[in-house]
Amino acid sequence: MALTGARKWLNEVIFGTDTPAGKLFDVVLIWAILLSVALVLLASVQSWWVRYGEVFFVLEWFFTALFTVEYLTRIYCARDRREYIFSFYGVVDLLAILPSYLALIFTGATYLMVIRLLRVLRIFRILKLVRYLRDANILARSLWQARRRILVFYAGVLVLCIIFGSVMFVVEGPQHGFTSIPKSIYWTIVTITTVGFGDITPHTPLGQTIASMTMLIGYSIIAVPTGIVTAELAHELGREKQLARCHNCGRAGHDADSEFCKHCGYRLEEFEPTPSD
Amino acid sequence: MALTGARKWLNEVIFGTDTPAGKLFDVVLIWAILLSVALVLLASVQSWWVRYGEVFFVLEWFFTALFTVEYLTRIYCARDRREYIFSFYGVVDLLAILPSYLALIFTGATYLMVIRLLRVLRIFRILKLVRYLRDANILARSLWQARRRILVFYAGVLVLCIIFGSVMFVVEGPQHGFTSIPKSIYWTIVTITTVGFGDITPHTPLGQTIASMTMLIGYSIIAVPTGIVTAELAHELGREKQLARCHNCGRAGHDADSEFCKHCGYRLEEFEPTPSD
Amino acid sequence: MALTGARKWLNEVIFGTDTPAGKLFDVVLIWAILLSVALVLLASVQSWWVRYGEVFFVLEWFFTALFTVEYLTRIYCARDRREYIFSFYGVVDLLAILPSYLALIFTGATYLMVIRLLRVLRIFRILKLVRYLRDANILARSLWQARRRILVFYAGVLVLCIIFGSVMFVVEGPQHGFTSIPKSIYWTIVTITTVGFGDITPHTPLGQTIASMTMLIGYSIIAVPTGIVTAELAHELGREKQLARCHNCGRAGHDADSEFCKHCGYRLEEFEPTPSD
Amino acid sequence: MALTGARKWLNEVIFGTDTPAGKLFDVVLIWAILLSVALVLLASVQSWWVRYGEVFFVLEWFFTALFTVEYLTRIYCARDRREYIFSFYGVVDLLAILPSYLALIFTGATYLMVIRLLRVLRIFRILKLVRYLRDANILARSLWQARRRILVFYAGVLVLCIIFGSVMFVVEGPQHGFTSIPKSIYWTIVTITTVGFGDITPHTPLGQTIASMTMLIGYSIIAVPTGIVTAELAHELGREKQLARCHNCGRAGHDADSEFCKHCGYRLEEFEPTPSD
């Protein structure tokens, strides 16, 4: 369906990024999102809420009104309204304004307030349109390619944590903070990931020996996801450059380490992803 | 020995995965294992045991009965009974049911309970049969190839920990928690692996300087296992793809970064490991 | 403008490194910088300041006088005085001496004292002139090449921290130390980077489960910057060697793993960067 | 000088590994070293020393006597006595027995006891002779190749720690544990290496924000040493295999990923380093 008149213009401004008005709209929206997220963060600080509660309240309704108008306009000027409403960003847009209205009905404001933070996801829609996208794509594709290997790795780590956790439960016991097997497994995860809060620590020599083994194993297997991701990433980076087309002559197929187009000598730094990408 | 009749059918269902009944059996078994493991974990929480002790008791005997029947059936229909009983998974299968029976005789139930968690290892037998196996194989083979280098690395780290640990024992001494050399070595391992519980911390300026050196060294040598595994993994991933056969035409020898078979153009994502693999 | 007489000689000594006097000046300056930085560090220890306050005071004015003379001489003999004064190192040189003079006027010495530590940056000017520079260049160029990918990664980590932080705020609440969403986000960053201070720890089973997920995710995504930097670094290292010229015959274009010049057999370890580098 | 008679035989047994007697001697020595090191570790535990002090005393003198006899025999049968005594292992051999004799004269046994732990270094002499050596060599050579880059990296991290440490000293101040700049730098190193003891933690919102930045930077730059080592290690591993000679036909020059000798088809896993290696 071809849009016409005001609806077409609104669509270009809100969904597009090519016109000056569309670019301005994106910049304003990013700032509105960042400010409203900062607002939710600061409002959660007890002392600030007590002092500036009214200011927070007014500003929150200002942003809610703004995002409501934006949401309704998006529905109005969308090419396919159904598709937009049930798309990922359509749902996020709704979740960004719904909590404020629901807070009028329900009183448990804390949980609703947190949902507002999903607004931060809206930033990605706008970033999607700029050149940072391609780098995000490489990362995402690498992680996606490695998904099965990462899952297998996680399964192995979890089984290791269950076994070490239950051994520590038997060795240290409730008197040293290892009150149950799930808690021991929590401790093992804290230790094997090298986080080491120190809220629970082994006190017996045997427990400390097993803990040392856990740490050294954790230290070593941290290498596995790194190896997986590095291998995939190096592969993706190489492919990316080979697929890229030169800005000047439009030809692709360059070596992974080329700095200049091999056909016309144009500097290749300003890549453009190929359409098939 | 060729199996016949009921024994052959049972063998296909229990050990195989090709028939619908075999697949159903695997799915039921995975759930039974996961539930019985969750049961052991929850039963170790004191407050839950007090409240739902009887439920846990009944469910535990239900799963023990189930796994006992499964174990006896496996013995009955195994191609080579001796081999099965003394195989790794045969022993795990026995250990998964034995603790419940032994708990009838002995009273120290805690230690026996933990052995039941070895049931979690049984999941790997089933996973062995699905495609996740190949990715697990690549990881395992990479780690196996790197075993000597990793051992040398561990030996070096341990000698480093012994030397730093004894220096810290001399510098900080018992009054700051470094009560013995083994405990100082435990602290050094906690520090060099960047876990950092904080149960023992240096208090003298000299001790803090040595601790800083330990951390910076630890920060740097964490790179060594990562480098070892990454180098092996990149090598294995390359070989894997080269060895893989195309699903369509059955020919191998593709480049490490091919997306499509170079002989027939069929998409290569759905790899099949070569028989020699 | 060609410098003549004393000014030319001073310029060669202070800005250059080729003459014996220039080398001596650099060595003396490095020691003066290191000693004056050590002085500031030690003067901040309360007990030392009380005891040796006067010694610190005298030494501080000695170094201030030294660096003031050096600064004025640099202005005097600089090829372009304006350019030097407003260059990065010109400003650092001024900041290295200004605090001592300002402390005569203002009394809040603590903040001014810290600015003196910027003197440590002056070391890089001297190091710039030695061969360590090339290795620093490779690291800097790799990080610069990867800047967009690293920014995208940081944006993703921050969004993850905001979401996990607010979930932990709801789950654990103020009674377990999660007093506000910003503090919860601080805790999430402490956890996801595997630092794990342990000043705030989850106490509810649900909170510990979410914390475990946070750690395992952090454990896995630590692989992403490593993968990015490794891929770039491997690329830079390869290019570096290919571009390098042989010391003996001056020809470039060697393979990345060559140990000897392929034209004249001269050992390649003593590389010289190509002029275009 | 050619050795003859008993001296030649002793030299073969003690310094060599080719004769059965030489192999037996190495195995006995490794066990004696490990036991004597374990003895020193256990003797440092206060409660054990009180109870088994006499047993420790007797065993310690037994090992001292054993190592003294070994040391004297090594001097007797060394090819070049001067060279052996002043070699690295010659000094370690002396340090391994000296503390026991000095303890007869001086009473401060704690410090002397710790020197005995240097015995652990003697294990490396024996390991040097087995095949694990080659893998240790690859690691050592990779780290050595990367020494300049690692030093540059450490210099950068230290400057970062000085700057962040002094900022935290100003922001948090002595009332929150940041009592001096050196202590703040210690805290920054603890944080940037993701160790995170938690003995000192920021309490002000601004301090926590700066701490978060420190952690995220630390999280990212941990990638740099990993990248350096991985790039070097991958290079070394490739070269190692290319240089290796086939056990069967003795020819070298295989591809980095060859499993079989390309000249005679012999399995290449049992490598032998080339003489020039």
Side-chain angles (χ1 to χ4, degrees):
Chain A
M1 182 183 71
L3 302 174
T4 52
R7 223 178 127 192
K8 192 188 171 195
W9 181 79
L10 277 170
N11 187 289
E12 268 168 9
V13 170
I14 293 182
F15 287 99
T17 48
D18 296 332
T19 58
K23 275 178 189 160
L24 182 70
F25 177 81
D26 284 344
V27 171
V28 170
L29 192 59
I30 283 185
W31 279 105
I33 292 168
L34 288 178
L35 285 174
S36 76
V37 165
L39 197 74
V40 176
L41 295 188
L42 295 177
S44 76
V45 182
Q46 197 65 27
S47 60
W48 290 41
W49 177 253
V50 170
R51 246 188 292 167
Y52 307 110
E54 301 225 340
V55 182
F56 284 133
F57 187 81
V58 170
L59 281 172
E60 181 52 45
W61 274 108
F62 168 73
F63 283 118
T64 302
L66 197 80
F67 293 144
T68 306
V69 170
E70 187 218 336
Y71 181 60
L72 295 175
T73 318
R74 273 184 195 273
I75 292 178
Y76 169 68
C77 71
R79 216 168 285 274
D80 182 338
R81 283 167 185 166
R82 243 188 118 81
E83 196 188 283
Y84 164 68
I85 291 171
F86 293 103
S87 72
F88 175 70
Y89 284 115
V91 173
V92 168
D93 288 350
L94 184 61
L95 283 174
I97 52 171
L98 212 59
S100 300
Y101 295 108
L102 288 177
L104 295 177
I105 310 167
F106 305 104
T107 49
T110 316
Y111 297 86
L112 291 169
M113 194 170 69
V114 166
I115 294 170
R116 275 183 223 144
L117 283 175
L118 289 176
R119 282 172 192 167
V120 86
L121 290 174
R122 306 182 69 207
I123 285 179
F124 285 111
R125 171 164 47 195
I126 299 161
L127 290 181
K128 231 175 55 175
L129 303 162
V130 296
R131 59 186 302 191
Y132 282 80
L133 168 70
R134 256 189 59 242
D135 291 291
N137 260 2
I138 297 177
L139 293 187
R141 208 159 46 201
S142 298
L143 290 175
W144 178 248
Q145 292 268 358
R147 69 192 179 284
R148 282 219 308 263
R149 265 181 288 281
I150 288 173
L151 269 179
V152 166
F153 168 73
Y154 269 131
V157 168
L158 275 178
V159 167
L160 220 65
C161 286
I162 288 175
I163 290 171
F164 268 103
S166 46
V167 168
M168 286 302 283
F169 172 68
V170 171
V171 168
E172 289 281 326
Q175 67 272 30
H176 295 133
F178 294 80
T179 49
S180 67
I181 295 183
K183 199 159 198 179
S184 291
I185 292 172
Y186 161 71
W187 175 87
T188 312
I189 293 174
V190 168
T191 304
I192 218 167
T193 57
T194 77
V195 171
F197 282 132
D199 51 347
I200 313 167
T201 51
H203 289 85
T204 63
L206 183 57
Q208 291 177 343
T209 309
I210 297 167
S212 299
M213 280 171 55
T214 313
M215 287 168 220
L216 287 171
I217 288 172
Y219 195 57
S220 188
I221 59 173
I222 208 172
V224 175
T226 305
I228 295 169
V229 173
T230 303
E232 288 294 341
L233 213 53
H235 177 212
E236 282 296 325
L237 286 174
R239 251 188 76 230
E240 185 74 4
K241 233 174 191 174
Q242 265 198 322
L243 284 177
R245 288 185 188 287
C246 169
H247 250 224
N248 193 41
C249 71
R251 276 181 280 187
H254 308 287
D255 284 344
D257 58 348
S258 322
E259 300 280 305
F260 296 92
C261 173
K262 66 179 171 189
H263 304 297
C264 67
Y266 193 80
R267 190 163 188 86
L268 281 174
E269 205 163 7
E270 305 293 335
F271 267 136
E272 189 151 89
T274 47
S276 71
D277 195 31
Chain B
M1 181 185 71
L3 302 175
T4 52
R7 222 178 129 192
K8 191 187 172 196
W9 182 79
L10 277 170
N11 186 289
E12 269 169 8
V13 170
I14 293 182
F15 288 98
T17 48
D18 296 332
T19 58
K23 276 177 189 160
L24 183 69
F25 176 82
D26 285 344
V27 170
V28 170
L29 193 58
I30 283 184
W31 279 105
I33 292 168
L34 288 178
L35 286 174
S36 77
V37 165
L39 197 72
V40 176
L41 294 189
L42 295 177
S44 75
V45 182
Q46 197 66 26
S47 60
W48 289 41
W49 176 253
V50 170
R51 245 189 292 168
Y52 307 110
E54 302 225 339
V55 181
F56 284 133
F57 187 82
V58 171
L59 281 173
E60 182 52 46
W61 274 107
F62 168 73
F63 283 117
T64 302
L66 197 79
F67 292 144
T68 307
V69 169
E70 187 218 336
Y71 181 59
L72 294 176
T73 317
R74 272 184 194 273
I75 292 177
Y76 169 69
C77 71
R79 216 167 286 274
D80 182 338
R81 283 165 186 168
R82 243 188 118 80
E83 197 189 282
Y84 165 67
I85 291 171
F86 292 103
S87 72
F88 175 70
Y89 284 115
V91 173
V92 168
D93 287 350
L94 184 61
L95 284 174
I97 53 172
L98 213 59
S100 302
Y101 295 109
L102 288 176
L104 294 176
I105 310 168
F106 305 105
T107 47
T110 316
Y111 297 85
L112 293 168
M113 193 171 70
V114 167
I115 295 169
R116 275 183 222 144
L117 282 176
L118 289 175
R119 282 171 193 168
V120 86
L121 290 173
R122 307 182 68 207
I123 284 178
F124 285 112
R125 171 165 46 197
I126 299 161
L127 290 182
K128 232 176 54 176
L129 304 162
V130 295
R131 59 184 302 189
Y132 282 79
L133 168 68
R134 257 189 59 241
D135 291 291
N137 260 2
I138 297 177
L139 293 187
R141 208 158 47 201
S142 299
L143 291 174
W144 179 248
Q145 292 268 358
R147 69 192 177 285
R148 283 220 308 264
R149 267 180 287 281
I150 288 173
L151 270 178
V152 166
F153 168 74
Y154 270 131
V157 168
L158 275 177
V159 168
L160 219 66
C161 286
I162 288 175
I163 290 171
F164 269 102
S166 45
V167 168
M168 286 303 282
F169 172 68
V170 171
V171 168
E172 288 280 328
Q175 66 273 28
H176 294 133
F178 295 80
T179 49
S180 67
I181 295 183
K183 198 158 199 179
S184 290
I185 292 172
Y186 161 71
W187 175 87
T188 312
I189 293 174
V190 168
T191 304
I192 219 166
T193 56
T194 77
V195 171
F197 281 133
D199 51 347
I200 312 167
T201 51
H203 289 85
T204 62
L206 183 56
Q208 290 178 343
T209 309
I210 297 167
S212 299
M213 280 171 57
T214 313
M215 286 168 220
L216 287 171
I217 287 172
Y219 196 56
S220 188
I221 58 173
I222 207 170
V224 176
T226 305
I228 296 169
V229 173
T230 303
E232 288 294 340
L233 211 54
H235 177 212
E236 282 297 324
L237 286 175
R239 250 188 78 230
E240 184 74 5
K241 232 174 192 174
Q242 265 198 321
L243 284 176
R245 289 186 186 286
C246 170
H247 250 225
N248 192 40
C249 69
R251 277 181 281 188
H254 308 286
D255 284 343
D257 59 348
S258 322
E259 300 280 306
F260 295 92
C261 172
K262 66 179 172 189
H263 305 296
C264 69
Y266 193 81
R267 191 165 188 82
L268 281 174
E269 203 164 8
E270 305 292 336
F271 268 136
E272 189 151 88
T274 47
S276 71
D277 194 32
Chain C
M1 183 183 71
L3 301 174
T4 52
R7 222 177 128 193
K8 192 188 169 194
W9 182 78
L10 276 170
N11 186 289
E12 268 169 10
V13 170
I14 292 183
F15 286 100
T17 47
D18 295 334
T19 59
K23 274 179 191 161
L24 183 69
F25 177 82
D26 284 345
V27 170
V28 170
L29 192 59
I30 283 186
W31 279 105
I33 292 167
L34 288 178
L35 285 174
S36 77
V37 165
L39 198 73
V40 176
L41 295 189
L42 294 177
S44 76
V45 182
Q46 196 65 27
S47 60
W48 290 41
W49 177 252
V50 170
R51 246 188 292 168
Y52 308 110
E54 302 225 338
V55 181
F56 284 133
F57 187 81
V58 171
L59 282 173
E60 182 51 45
W61 274 107
F62 168 74
F63 283 118
T64 302
L66 197 80
F67 292 144
T68 306
V69 170
E70 187 218 337
Y71 181 59
L72 294 176
T73 319
R74 272 183 195 273
I75 292 177
Y76 170 69
C77 70
R79 215 166 286 274
D80 181 338
R81 283 167 185 168
R82 244 188 118 80
E83 196 188 284
Y84 164 68
I85 291 171
F86 294 103
S87 72
F88 175 71
Y89 283 116
V91 173
V92 168
D93 287 349
L94 184 61
L95 284 175
I97 51 171
L98 212 60
S100 300
Y101 295 109
L102 288 176
L104 294 177
I105 309 167
F106 305 104
T107 47
T110 315
Y111 296 86
L112 292 168
M113 193 171 69
V114 166
I115 293 169
R116 276 183 222 144
L117 283 176
L118 289 176
R119 283 172 191 167
V120 86
L121 289 173
R122 306 183 68 208
I123 284 179
F124 285 112
R125 172 165 46 196
I126 300 161
L127 290 182
K128 231 175 56 175
L129 304 161
V130 296
R131 58 187 302 191
Y132 282 79
L133 168 69
R134 255 190 60 242
D135 291 291
N137 260 2
I138 298 178
L139 293 187
R141 208 158 46 202
S142 299
L143 291 175
W144 179 248
Q145 292 268 359
R147 70 193 178 284
R148 283 219 309 265
R149 266 181 286 282
I150 288 173
L151 270 179
V152 166
F153 168 73
Y154 270 131
V157 168
L158 275 177
V159 168
L160 219 64
C161 286
I162 289 175
I163 290 171
F164 268 104
S166 46
V167 168
M168 286 303 283
F169 172 67
V170 171
V171 168
E172 289 281 327
Q175 66 272 29
H176 295 134
F178 295 80
T179 49
S180 67
I181 295 183
K183 198 158 199 180
S184 291
I185 292 172
Y186 161 71
W187 175 88
T188 313
I189 292 174
V190 168
T191 304
I192 219 167
T193 57
T194 77
V195 172
F197 282 133
D199 51 348
I200 313 166
T201 51
H203 288 86
T204 62
L206 183 57
Q208 292 177 342
T209 309
I210 296 167
S212 299
M213 279 171 56
T214 313
M215 288 168 218
L216 288 171
I217 287 172
Y219 196 57
S220 188
I221 59 173
I222 206 171
V224 176
T226 305
I228 294 169
V229 173
T230 303
E232 288 294 341
L233 212 54
H235 176 213
E236 282 297 325
L237 285 174
R239 249 188 78 230
E240 184 74 5
K241 231 173 193 175
Q242 265 198 321
L243 284 176
R245 288 188 187 286
C246 171
H247 250 223
N248 193 41
C249 69
R251 276 180 283 187
H254 307 287
D255 284 343
D257 59 347
S258 322
E259 299 281 305
F260 296 92
C261 172
K262 66 180 173 189
H263 304 296
C264 68
Y266 193 81
R267 191 162 188 84
L268 281 173
E269 204 163 7
E270 306 294 334
F271 268 136
E272 189 149 89
T274 47
S276 71
D277 194 32
Chain D
M1 183 183 71
L3 302 175
T4 51
R7 221 176 130 195
K8 191 187 170 197
W9 182 78
L10 276 170
N11 186 291
E12 267 169 11
V13 169
I14 292 182
F15 287 98
T17 47
D18 295 334
T19 59
K23 275 178 190 161
L24 183 67
F25 176 82
D26 285 344
V27 170
V28 170
L29 192 60
I30 284 185
W31 279 105
I33 292 167
L34 288 178
L35 285 174
S36 77
V37 165
L39 198 72
V40 176
L41 295 189
L42 295 177
S44 76
V45 182
Q46 196 65 26
S47 60
W48 289 42
W49 177 253
V50 171
R51 246 188 291 168
Y52 308 110
E54 302 226 338
V55 181
F56 284 134
F57 187 81
V58 171
L59 281 173
E60 183 51 46
W61 274 108
F62 167 74
F63 283 118
T64 302
L66 197 79
F67 293 144
T68 307
V69 170
E70 187 219 336
Y71 181 59
L72 295 175
T73 317
R74 272 185 195 272
I75 292 178
Y76 170 69
C77 70
R79 215 166 286 273
D80 181 338
R81 283 167 186 167
R82 242 188 120 78
E83 196 189 282
Y84 165 67
I85 290 171
F86 293 103
S87 72
F88 175 71
Y89 284 115
V91 173
V92 168
D93 287 350
L94 184 61
L95 283 174
I97 52 171
L98 213 59
S100 301
Y101 295 109
L102 289 176
L104 294 177
I105 310 166
F106 306 104
T107 48
T110 315
Y111 297 85
L112 292 169
M113 192 170 70
V114 166
I115 294 169
R116 275 183 223 144
L117 283 176
L118 289 176
R119 281 172 193 168
V120 86
L121 290 174
R122 306 183 68 207
I123 285 179
F124 284 111
R125 172 166 45 196
I126 299 162
L127 289 182
K128 231 176 55 177
L129 304 162
V130 296
R131 57 187 304 191
Y132 282 80
L133 168 69
R134 257 190 58 244
D135 291 290
N137 260 3
I138 298 178
L139 293 187
R141 207 158 48 202
S142 300
L143 291 175
W144 179 249
Q145 293 268 0
R147 70 193 176 284
R148 283 220 308 264
R149 267 181 286 281
I150 288 173
L151 270 179
V152 166
F153 168 74
Y154 269 132
V157 168
L158 275 177
V159 168
L160 219 66
C161 286
I162 288 175
I163 291 171
F164 268 103
S166 46
V167 168
M168 286 303 283
F169 172 67
V170 171
V171 169
E172 289 280 326
Q175 66 273 28
H176 294 134
F178 294 80
T179 49
S180 67
I181 296 183
K183 198 158 197 179
S184 290
I185 292 172
Y186 161 70
W187 175 87
T188 313
I189 293 174
V190 168
T191 304
I192 218 166
T193 57
T194 77
V195 171
F197 282 135
D199 51 348
I200 312 166
T201 51
H203 288 86
T204 63
L206 183 57
Q208 291 177 342
T209 309
I210 296 167
S212 299
M213 279 170 56
T214 314
M215 288 168 219
L216 287 172
I217 287 171
Y219 195 57
S220 189
I221 59 173
I222 206 172
V224 176
T226 306
I228 295 168
V229 173
T230 303
E232 287 294 340
L233 212 55
H235 176 212
E236 282 297 325
L237 286 175
R239 250 188 78 230
E240 184 74 5
K241 234 176 191 173
Q242 265 197 320
L243 285 176
R245 287 186 188 288
C246 170
H247 249 225
N248 193 40
C249 69
R251 276 181 282 188
H254 307 287
D255 284 343
D257 59 347
S258 321
E259 300 280 304
F260 296 92
C261 172
K262 66 179 172 189
H263 304 297
C264 69
Y266 193 80
R267 189 161 190 86
L268 281 173
E269 204 164 7
E270 305 292 336
F271 268 135
E272 189 149 88
T274 48
S276 71
D277 194 32

